[in-house]
Amino acid sequence: MNLILFGAQGSGKGTQSQLLAEHLRLKPCSSGDLLREAIGQGTSLGQEAKPYVERGDLVPDDLIVGLILEQMRDLGDRTGIILDGFPRTIPQAQRLDASVTVLRQRIDAAIYLEVPRQVLLDRLAYRYVCEKAGHVWNLKTHPPRVDRICDFDGSPLIQRSDDTEAKIAHRLDIFFNETIRLIDYYAARGKLVHINGNNAPETVNQHILAALGQLGVLEGAGHPHAQASGQ
Ligand code: ADP
């Protein structure tokens, strides 16, 4: 099973991606993490992507599409992939559809996490990530045990360099002007799962699983009630 998760910055995609990946034995794949990794390693792709990411602009489609397809080709022991942050434009969605057909796969559902803009701004203002592994915290709603120290690896919490107020506003504008069009794209293909993301993470996760069940995509997908058939 292959899933897409989309939603504005701060809508909880990362958290839901991890929960679903675990529950459904999918490989989590975050386009933002992949880009930050490439930038950190100084690869040629990373160097090309860096100015876009720093401005909060979308990187050119060619850069990101190649990176994602590479991930889809190597699933390891997972039964599929969950894409978090890709696609973000209609051309990206079209290229993904064309590529999965070639790979003899398909996208089963696209989950949209809807959260009001004011709630997003609130969440993002307090979003911190750990320096070492990028674990995400919220100083207000999901703080670590020790102030600004990651529970998991003890590294200090920092704000992402693109999480300043102005850059957040810019990225939200791109989302609500452009990425939001994916709603119609996937609805037209009968693949849209529209979820209220303004709830506790566990509740959102249950709603997603219930909606995927209704769409009929859970059978044989590593779901505990529908055991994967060994592939
Ligand atoms: P956010 O959702 O908060 O913007 P991400 O970590 O998902 O954070 O993405 C960080 C940056 O990586 C984006 O601002 C953009 O520059 C780039 N990026 C991520 N995914 C894509 C994509 N599908 N297409 C183009 N650029 C992307």
Side-chain angles (χ1 to χ4, degrees):
M1 184 202 326
N2 297 306
L3 301 176
I4 289 167
L5 253 180
F6 69 104
Q9 288 65 24
S11 60
K13 294 189 302 286
T15 306
Q16 294 305 322
S17 171
Q18 292 301 330
L19 291 171
L20 289 168
E22 228 168 89
H23 196 87
L24 301 171
R25 289 187 47 220
L26 301 175
K27 172 176 170 176
C29 175
S30 151
S31 54
D33 285 351
L34 288 174
L35 287 167
R36 277 186 289 276
E37 204 178 292
I39 292 169
Q41 290 170 349
T43 64
S44 61
L45 188 148
Q47 285 173 21
E48 223 178 305
K50 191 173 177 187
Y52 295 92
V53 173
E54 279 181 350
R55 284 195 305 268
D57 284 330
L58 296 181
V59 306
D61 288 350
D62 282 339
L63 290 187
I64 191 70
V65 171
L67 209 55
I68 297 289
L69 292 184
E70 211 175 281
Q71 295 293 315
M72 291 191 78
R73 282 191 203 99
D74 177 19
L75 292 177
D77 62 349
R78 303 302 175 107
T79 56
I81 202 162
I82 177 155
L83 297 174
D84 151 11
F86 178 91
R88 286 190 197 207
T89 63
I90 300 286
Q92 287 183 7
Q94 288 166 336
R95 286 178 66 170
L96 178 63
D97 275 344
S99 306
V100 287
T101 310
V102 172
L103 290 173
R104 296 242 205 98
Q105 295 188 34
R106 66 191 207 110
I107 301 300
D108 295 278
I111 302 156
Y112 172 46
L113 293 181
E114 181 168 4
V115 174
R117 190 171 173 125
Q118 193 48 50
V119 176
L120 296 167
L121 288 170
D122 235 41
R123 287 184 182 178
L124 291 165
Y126 292 93
R127 175 162 86 175
Y128 278 69
V129 295
C130 84
E131 210 169 45
K132 195 165 169 198
H135 294 120
V136 183
W137 298 92
N138 185 295
L139 295 191
K140 212 157 105 179
T141 57
H142 177 50
R145 283 194 300 265
V146 180
D147 187 35
R148 287 166 215 236
I149 297 292
C150 182
D151 282 5
F152 300 117
D153 55 35
S155 72
L157 303 190
I158 50 169
Q159 278 199 297
R160 264 170 47 181
S161 60
D162 59 348
D163 271 356
T164 62
E165 213 176 305
K167 287 183 190 172
I168 286 171
H170 179 57
R171 301 207 314 285
L172 285 175
D173 285 343
I174 294 177
F175 179 83
F176 286 109
N177 289 327
E178 177 129 23
T179 308
I180 196 86
R181 296 186 197 155
L182 294 177
I183 291 179
D184 291 341
Y185 183 89
Y186 288 109
R189 287 156 181 78
K191 291 184 178 171
L192 183 72
V193 170
H194 196 143
I195 298 287
N196 175 7
N198 193 13
N199 272 314
E202 260 315 313
T203 310
V204 174
N205 186 244
Q206 282 162 14
H207 291 169
I208 293 175
L209 288 171
L212 290 176
Q214 272 173 14
L215 206 61
V217 299
L218 285 184
E219 288 89 37
H223 189 255
H225 306 301
Q227 279 297 315
S229 52
Q231 332 77 317

